[in-house]
């Protein structure tokens, strides 16, 4: 007798009534919305469950590795030290400011399992940005690597070093119990910073509910692969982590869910280097990788893929920044692991992808970022907040249990972004077709995305106008083949014309390096303005 495998029926069993990933309506911060029925309620539950994977590898680097059992023991010891020796308690903020390391991940789990809030500082921040982050979050402690310790200590904050203190403390209490805390689902767990639309980075506040919903989403994806015929045990997958851990792509959507699924995280250390990364893929038999377009472009330029055994890499996706159709086609034609390329769209504020486009979606509708992620309600709205029909352009608005709680201690920005019934207004423009596929027509107003990092012009402008010779300025993005975009600026100066070198050095002292303009135009002529006094960007940029 012949049986027919029906993937859609299997999908219905997973998400339908009584299924393991069924969603039901519940109250989330005063609004009814879909949540996973079978969910954990605090992040320490994920840590406790992870011990079942025992001697399997949780994190591997080129020279080191830690098993799930070792990780749980280390985190428990570190958590006990944080509590007993440094007084960290529920609700306290603990800064993590470091390049990617195993210790970064262990510190994160120790902090959130205690019910404290992990504050993920951008490791490229200037002293000015660090000072703002500390003032905003008022942490009780920081964990930092050697390169960033001094920037934190000068503000009188106790600092544990990644290189010495964390390894000592994670071994100090080998018999410590697994940490836990009595937290509510919507209590804050992590602060991830976004570039400031109003001049300062904002702390997107992600709750235990948000992060655990992301965990369930990834567990569901693993179950879907099995339902659609993939024979691979999720525990046998290996996920390459290259982007910084202070981004949701690496922390929320890789390091975190893989502790729940028993999969291996392959952690690349140091600057992006194609040859070292290919060697790591070969050595650790990496199966999955989500790269930013700049990384993909550099892989094409290196043209060394045929020197390595990359056959294990069967899932490759682009994320974190827009990518051109031409780049995607070059990837498919030149990199064997990119033939079934997946694209997606998401924001720091949404914790995970808003939508994803399968290879079939992209073949049928080039440029689409796909259909809404499971559990995401997606609408296109006009300026009055009315939902628009298929094929009509408007603002992309989303609602889900993944969406952030709000911006830390910034009620004005929160109310501007999260509005009635907790609909999050992205500021991006797009349209949805008859099949529910999203196409973006422009990203957030004037946003520059350089190598996967967001740069808001107003933040750079506010700092640059502090220079005594700058009267006003206009910052904007210009296309760049490798980085996607670079930062450019028109500077209006007074009687004294500053040098580009002087202005560049001034900004480098105040801002992360990637926010400093690479293209300059200095002039004494005022910027063109309209009748209400606003700068006419199109007129100014037309002169370049």
């Amino acid at each position: 007798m012949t049986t027919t495998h029906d993937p859609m029926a299997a999908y219905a069993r997973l998400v339908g009534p009584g299924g393991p990933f069924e969603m039901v309506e519940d109250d989330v911060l005063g609004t009814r919305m879909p949540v996973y029925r079978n969910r954990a309620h605090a992040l320490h539950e994920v840590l406790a469950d992870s011990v079942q994977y025992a001697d399997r590898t949780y994190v591997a680097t080129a020279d080191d590795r830690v098993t799930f059992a070792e990780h749980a023991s280390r985190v428990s010891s570190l958590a006990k030290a944080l509590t007993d020796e440094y007084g960290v308690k529920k609700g306290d903020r603990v800064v993590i400011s470091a390049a990617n390391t195993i210790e970064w991940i262990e510190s994160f789990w120790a902090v959130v399992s205690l019910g404290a809030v992990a504050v993920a500082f951008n490791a490229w921040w200037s002293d000015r940005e660090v000072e703002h982050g500390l003032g905003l979050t008022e942490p009780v402690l920081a964990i930092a690597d050697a390169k960033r310790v001094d920037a934190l200590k000068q503000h009188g904050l106790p600092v544990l070093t990644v290189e010495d203190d964390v390894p000592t403390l994670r071994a100090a209490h080998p018999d410590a119990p697994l940490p836990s805390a009595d937290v509510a689902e919507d209590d804050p767990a992590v602060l991830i910073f976004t570039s400031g639309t109003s001049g300062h980075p904002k702390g997107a506040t992600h709750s235990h509910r948000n992060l655990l919903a992301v965990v369930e989403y990834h567990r569901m994806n693993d179950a879907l692969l099995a339902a659609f015929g993939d024979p691979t045990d999720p525990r046998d997958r290996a996920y390459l982590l290259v982007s910084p851990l202070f981004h949701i792509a690496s922390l929320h959507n890789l390091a975190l869910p893989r502790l729940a699924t028993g999969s291996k995280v392959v952690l690349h250390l140091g600057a992006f280097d194609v040859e070292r990364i290919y060697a790591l893929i070969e050595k650790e038999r990496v199966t999955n990788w989500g790269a930013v377009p700049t990384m993909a472009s550099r892989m094409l330029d290196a043209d060394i893929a045929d020197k390595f055994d990359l056959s294990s890499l069967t899932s490759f996706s682009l994320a974190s920044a827009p990518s051109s159709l031409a780049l995607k086609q070059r990837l498919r034609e030149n990199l064997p692991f990119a033939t079934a390329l997946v694209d997606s769209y998401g924001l720091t504020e949404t914790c995970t992808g808003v939508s994803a486009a399968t290879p079939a979606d992209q073949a049928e509708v080039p440029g689409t970022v796909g259909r809404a992620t499971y559990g995401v309600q997606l609408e296109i709205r006009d300026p009055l907040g009315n939902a628009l029909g298929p094929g009509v352009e408007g603002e992309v608005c989303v609602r889900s249990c993944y969406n952030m709680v709000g911006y830390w201690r910034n009620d004005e920005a929160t109310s501007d972004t999260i509005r009635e019934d907790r609909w999050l207004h992205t500021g991006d423009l797009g349209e949805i077709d008859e099949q529910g596929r999203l196409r973006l027509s422009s990203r957030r107003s004037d946003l520059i995305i350089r190598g996967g990092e967001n740069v808001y012009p107003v933040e750079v402008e506010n700092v640059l106008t502090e220079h005594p010779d700058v009267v006003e300025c206009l910052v904007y993005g210009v296309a760049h083949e490798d980085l996607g975009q670079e930062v450019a600026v028109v500077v209006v100066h007074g009687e004294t014309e500053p040098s580009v070198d002087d202005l560049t050095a001034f900004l480098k002292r105040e801002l992360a390096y990637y926010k400093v303009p690479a293209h300059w135009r200095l002039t004494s002529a005022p910027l063109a303005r309209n009748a209400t006094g606003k700068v006419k960007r199109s007129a100014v940029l037309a002169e370049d």
Side-chain angles (χ1 to χ4, degrees):
M1 179 175 145
T2 302
T3 60
T4 302
H5 179 67
D6 185 351
M8 296 314 297
Y11 172 74
R13 287 194 294 272
L14 290 174
V15 302
F21 302 102
E22 177 191 6
M23 281 196 159
V24 295
E25 278 210 345
D26 201 355
D27 181 86
V28 178
L29 298 170
T31 298
R32 304 288 293 181
M33 69 174 64
V35 299
Y36 288 94
R37 181 193 292 277
N38 302 312
R39 65 190 187 277
H41 293 77
L43 285 165
H44 64 76
E45 297 176 52
V46 176
L47 177 66
D49 288 345
S50 72
V51 298
Q52 67 179 292
Y53 303 119
D55 294 332
R56 300 184 72 92
T57 299
Y58 172 39
V59 184
T61 69
D63 302 310
D64 197 9
R65 64 186 58 242
V66 59
T67 68
F68 284 86
E70 289 169 338
H71 174 262
S73 176
R74 290 178 175 187
V75 169
S76 298
S77 176
L78 179 57
K80 181 173 176 58
L82 293 180
T83 301
D84 294 354
E85 300 175 38
Y86 296 93
V88 175
K89 61 185 183 300
K90 174 185 171 182
D92 284 343
R93 274 77 64 202
V94 177
V95 164
I96 305 176
S97 182
N100 287 1
T101 58
I102 291 176
E103 290 79 11
W104 203 115
I105 296 173
E106 292 169 341
S107 298
F108 162 80
W109 280 109
V111 170
V112 299
S113 295
L114 289 171
V117 183
V119 182
F121 270 19
N122 186 316
W124 294 317
W125 270 356
S126 67
D127 287 347
R128 176 193 184 107
E129 291 162 314
V130 167
E131 183 176 11
H132 167 72
L134 293 176
L136 178 67
T137 61
E138 297 181 316
V140 300
L141 182 70
I143 299 169
D145 58 21
K147 187 176 181 180
R148 295 160 183 90
V149 165
D150 289 344
L152 295 163
K153 279 188 173 180
Q154 68 179 331
H155 297 284
L157 185 68
V159 182
L160 301 179
T161 62
V162 163
E163 293 83 0
D164 298 318
D165 294 330
V166 172
T168 298
L169 296 176
R170 73 188 181 191
H173 306 283
D175 299 321
L178 287 162
S180 65
D182 183 17
V183 296
E185 287 186 84
D186 294 311
D187 282 349
V190 183
L191 299 184
I192 299 284
F193 286 84
T194 67
S195 294
T197 54
S198 57
H200 289 296
K202 296 176 293 187
T205 306
H206 299 155
S207 65
H208 288 259
R209 183 196 300 278
N210 296 151
L211 271 67
L212 290 166
V214 175
V215 168
E216 287 306 299
Y217 169 64
H218 284 277
R219 281 163 44 84
M220 186 201 70
N221 280 337
D222 287 344
L224 276 177
L225 287 172
F228 278 61
D230 189 329
T232 307
D233 186 324
R235 297 174 299 175
D236 293 333
R237 294 195 179 95
Y239 293 77
L240 183 62
L241 195 163
V242 179
S243 297
L245 280 159
F246 53 80
H247 286 325
I248 64 167
S250 291
L251 182 59
H252 297 36
N253 291 276
L254 208 165
L256 195 157
R258 296 311 142 201
L259 192 73
T261 61
S263 314
K264 180 169 64 176
V265 174
V266 180
L267 182 63
H268 171 68
L269 305 182
F272 185 83
D273 182 283
V274 177
E275 187 167 355
R276 288 175 55 222
I277 287 172
Y278 281 168
L280 193 57
I281 293 171
E282 180 179 88
K283 176 186 176 186
E284 296 295 336
R285 307 303 296 158
V286 167
T287 59
N288 296 65
W289 183 17
V292 302
T294 297
M295 296 175 186
S297 177
R298 291 179 182 177
M299 287 188 287
L300 288 169
D301 292 341
D303 194 25
I304 56 172
D306 59 351
K307 297 180 181 179
F308 298 86
D309 179 6
L310 307 177
S311 59
S312 63
L313 185 56
T314 55
S315 177
F316 182 72
S317 61
L318 293 176
S320 302
S323 52
S324 68
L325 295 177
L327 173 61
K328 292 172 186 173
Q329 188 56 34
R330 287 179 62 210
L331 288 170
R332 294 186 187 100
E333 292 173 352
N334 293 281
L335 296 179
F337 52 81
T339 53
L341 189 64
V342 175
D343 202 358
S344 63
Y345 162 65
L347 303 83
T348 299
E349 291 85 347
T350 62
C351 284
T352 193
V354 169
S355 65
T358 65
D361 289 329
Q362 295 176 77
E364 188 173 346
V365 184
T368 183
V369 289
R371 296 175 173 85
T373 296
Y374 177 65
V376 170
Q377 296 169 289
L378 177 62
E379 287 186 356
I380 303 298
R381 295 187 172 187
D382 67 17
L384 298 178
N386 301 309
L388 300 171
V392 182
E393 183 184 83
E395 183 180 18
V396 180
C397 298
V398 298
R399 183 171 70 168
S400 77
C401 55
Y402 312 112
N403 284 358
M404 69 171 184
V405 173
Y407 295 114
W408 184 261
R409 294 180 176 172
N410 194 334
D411 293 341
E412 182 179 357
T414 298
S415 61
D416 185 55
T417 301
I418 300 178
R419 303 181 195 171
E420 186 178 358
D421 293 331
R422 295 201 60 80
W423 278 92
L424 189 149
H425 290 242
T426 68
D428 294 335
L429 297 179
E431 61 184 66
I432 299 175
D433 66 19
E434 294 283 356
Q435 286 72 43
R437 289 175 295 219
L438 175 64
R439 179 195 293 273
L440 297 175
S441 48
S442 69
R443 303 287 289 193
R444 296 181 187 216
S445 178
D446 305 327
L447 175 65
I448 302 163
I449 303 181
R450 180 196 181 280
E453 295 292 332
N454 290 353
V455 181
Y456 281 94
V458 67
E459 182 181 10
V460 183
E461 291 165 357
N462 285 350
V463 175
L464 190 52
T465 51
E466 293 177 11
H467 191 284
D469 296 324
V470 175
V471 176
E472 59 181 347
C473 59
L474 179 72
V475 173
Y476 58 100
V478 294
H480 187 271
E481 185 176 356
D482 179 34
L483 297 170
Q485 284 182 299
E486 282 190 318
V487 183
V489 62
V490 177
V491 174
V492 177
H493 59 80
E495 292 185 6
T496 302
E497 180 175 345
S499 69
V500 170
D501 288 345
D502 176 42
L503 294 175
T504 298
F506 176 78
L507 283 183
K508 283 183 176 179
R509 292 193 296 268
E510 304 294 335
L511 294 172
Y513 79 93
Y514 62 87
K515 300 176 184 177
V516 177
H519 306 273
W520 298 78
R521 175 161 66 89
L522 275 59
T523 178
S524 59
L527 299 177
R529 296 179 181 273
N530 62 21
T532 63
K534 286 189 176 183
V535 173
K536 297 170 65 175
R537 295 183 64 88
S538 58
V540 174
L541 300 186
E543 299 175 19
D544 278 5

